[in-house]
Amino acid sequence: MTQELPTTDSDLFNKVLDALRTKVSDFNFKNWFQHTSWHLEEPGRVLIKVPTKFIRDWLADHFLELIKFELFRVSEREYDVLFKVEKNVNRTLELFPQGAAPALPTTETPKVEDYSPVKAVNQFIRSQESRTTQRLATITQTVFNPKYTFANFVVGNGNQLVHAACKAVAAQPAKSYNPLFIYGGVGLGKTHLLNAVGIDVQKNYPHLRVLFVTGEKFTNEVIDAIRYDKTFELRRKYRESCDILLIDDIQFIAGKERTMEEFFHTFNALYEVRKQIILTSDRMPKDMAKLEERLKSRFGWGLLADIQAPDYETRMAILHKKAEEDGFDLAGDVCEFIASNVTANIRELEGALVRVYAFASLAGLQVTLDLTREVLKSVVGNVKPALSVEGIQNKVADYFQLRTSDLKSKRRHRALAYPRQIAMYLCKIHLPASFPEIGHKFGGKDHTTVMHAVQKIKKCLESDASLKTQIAELEKGLDFPRGHANAC
Ligand code: ADP
Ligand code: MG
């Protein structure tokens, strides 16, 4: 290499930043590198100070390899890179193109006496190789997402049953529910739970071979096996070399004949020798139009467990948990705003939280309710005036051709009690209101009456298709800020 080696720390860092500037977009450069301060902590170790945990994690997840690579390319030596959060980071670097920035005085000069370019290049190549070998090694064993554990899963009304079933299966595979079939809408935690089971089983039963694939991957494997005449290998993998089979989004195989056929025999082979099978799907087996009847019936042999949208309290708890995990300081009103407006699923809930904090962090602002409203405007739409108990009562009364006062009355005739229970259920699911508050607004009913109503409607929703339709129609008419909690 014929390039001029940097003579000072700041020279090195400026050169690296110049190089980074050409490799990442302006937006990324400004957002992630602008507020950093670089130091040579000791020879071979660079410390990058950043103002927030969020920026630290982002840099570590997305740019660490690139930073290390550029340090190596510019200096021809390898550096470890560490990040440190320091609230008021004073930028030590001028972020101008090389040459335009005045060189900062420094007392630390990179130690280059024992530096050998050949050694450094070899080291670099070796580190790349070991990374590749590691990657290949992991292909043959199931790798779970370490973030998706039981400990990180917030248990609430909508997912209690599924959570308990998953825990039971992870504790004693093939002893309790086999197969365990989990169904529910997107972003409600199915993949998270499947991962959590896999992680626990690997920990508790290291000798068991756990296979975790998506319905799509399974389908592709079947296609490849047919194309390359490898069906024997495929069968050995799934039927003989597997003790626990986890398939995420099994609905994907519906309508794909050879895949369904292959899966049918895989299922039978595993089931016969009492191997655990867990499947997830976005709908119930009976609602999977193109799924063979024989598979539908097998899916119901064990436990069919549905996962429902989280209620307000669970949404609040999830937000607090995520904030804690990511080191965000989450104010009560901000949390309430997000929990009230982002109701469709947990993925969107998380997305909203991250968006607010990313924005605040990039703009160097405090997270306040006003800022949250502004940032989430495009996500939740122009936030409509908050939905109220009265709004829900009026809508339900209209729908059932009753008067609102009927819903608040003490009369227990079924023609009144049923709509009243539906209205209470909708209030609980969609409003940040407690059981006593709702009871109070329904003519001073006791909180246990509201609890009973909500439980009852939830239970009925599991089997009563016409109730599901009614609730869906009512929710549509309620004009939620965006989407609605699909509690069916
Ligand atoms: P699905 O597979 O049902 O579409 P995921 O499992 O991918 O949903 O969940 C979407 C996101 O929401 C993930 O980041 C997951 O960690 C998170 N999540 C879902 N349910 C919970 C929960 N009960 N507690 C904490 N995080 C959750
Ligand atoms: Mg999923």
Side-chain angles (χ1 to χ4, degrees), residues 199-302:
I199 290 172
D200 262 26
V201 170
Q202 274 187 346
K203 200 165 63 202
N204 300 335
Y205 301 94
H207 62 286
L208 292 184
R209 293 158 303 177
V210 187
L211 261 185
F212 176 33
V213 284
T214 59
E216 183 176 5
K217 179 152 188 286
F218 185 76
T219 305
N220 289 336
E221 285 187 41
V222 172
I223 293 169
D224 282 352
I226 295 167
R227 189 193 298 164
Y228 301 114
D229 203 12
K230 294 250 190 280
T231 43
F232 178 74
E233 281 83 350
L234 184 81
R235 282 170 198 166
R236 198 167 56 196
K237 173 176 172 186
Y238 282 96
R239 298 184 201 175
E240 288 156 34
S241 312
C242 165
D243 297 309
I244 300 189
L245 179 60
L246 312 176
I247 301 195
D248 204 9
D249 294 319
I250 190 74
Q251 77 275 359
F252 194 86
I253 72 166
K256 307 195 170 67
E257 278 168 29
R258 288 293 294 269
T259 310
M260 287 195 288
E261 174 80 17
E262 193 57 43
F263 181 73
F264 176 73
H265 293 296
T266 302
F267 184 101
N268 291 343
L270 294 178
Y271 190 82
E272 266 166 29
V273 291
R274 314 203 64 180
K275 302 267 168 88
Q276 178 74 50
I277 301 163
I278 311 184
L279 308 166
T280 74
S281 162
D282 64 356
R283 64 203 84 156
M284 285 179 92
K286 74 174 175 53
D287 296 335
M288 287 157 84
K290 292 184 182 155
L291 189 72
E292 289 174 319
E293 284 307 320
R294 58 183 186 169
L295 277 177
K296 281 187 196 173
S297 85
R298 271 165 180 71
F299 289 167
W301 282 358

Side-chain angles (χ1 to χ4, degrees), residues 85-150:
V85 181
E86 219 163 73
K87 280 261 170 330
N88 300 313
V89 172
N90 284 324
R91 251 193 298 127
T92 52
L93 296 165
E94 294 301 325
L95 299 176
F96 296 116
Q98 196 195 337
L104 294 176
T106 173
T107 51
E108 291 162 320
T109 312
K111 290 214 170 80
V112 287
E113 319 73 270
D114 57 356
Y115 167 71
S116 140
V118 176
K119 198 169 134 210
V121 169
N122 281 338
Q123 259 177 10
F124 185 69
I125 291 171
R126 265 201 307 279
S127 72
Q128 293 302 307
E129 273 173 356
S130 77
R131 229 168 268 143
T132 315
T133 331
Q134 248 172 26
R135 256 204 311 268
L136 288 176
T138 57
I139 290 172
T140 53
Q141 70 193 48
T142 299
V143 184
F144 293 101
N145 185 335
K147 280 200 320 206
Y148 292 169
T149 59
F150 281 120

Side-chain angles (χ1 to χ4, degrees), residues 26-52:
D26 278 358
F27 177 80
N28 271 331
F29 190 81
K30 228 170 120 201
N31 287 341
W32 307 115
F33 292 99
Q34 178 122 312
H35 300 287
T36 57
S37 153
W38 296 46
H39 308 264
L40 192 70
E41 207 188 28
E42 57 182 69
R45 178 178 294 183
V46 172
L47 177 71
I48 304 179
K49 294 186 183 170
V50 296
T52 64

Side-chain angles (χ1 to χ4, degrees), residues 27 36 51 66 130 155 185 189 196 215 234 238 248 259 284 303 328 360 363 378 380 392 416 464 478 480:
F27 177 80
T36 57
L66 184 62
S130 77
V155 184
L234 184 81
Y238 282 96
D248 204 9
T259 310
M284 285 179 92
L303 178 70
F328 301 150
S378 61
V380 300
I392 291 180
L416 300 183
D464 185 340
L478 281 170
F480 291 104

Side-chain angles (χ1 to χ4, degrees), residues 171-196:
Q172 290 196 305
K175 289 272 161 30
S176 31
Y177 313 109
N178 202 20
L180 172 59
F181 188 98
I182 301 170
Y183 65 95
V186 293
L188 295 182
K190 300 183 297 298
T191 302
H192 187 135
L193 280 173
L194 215 51
N195 255 272

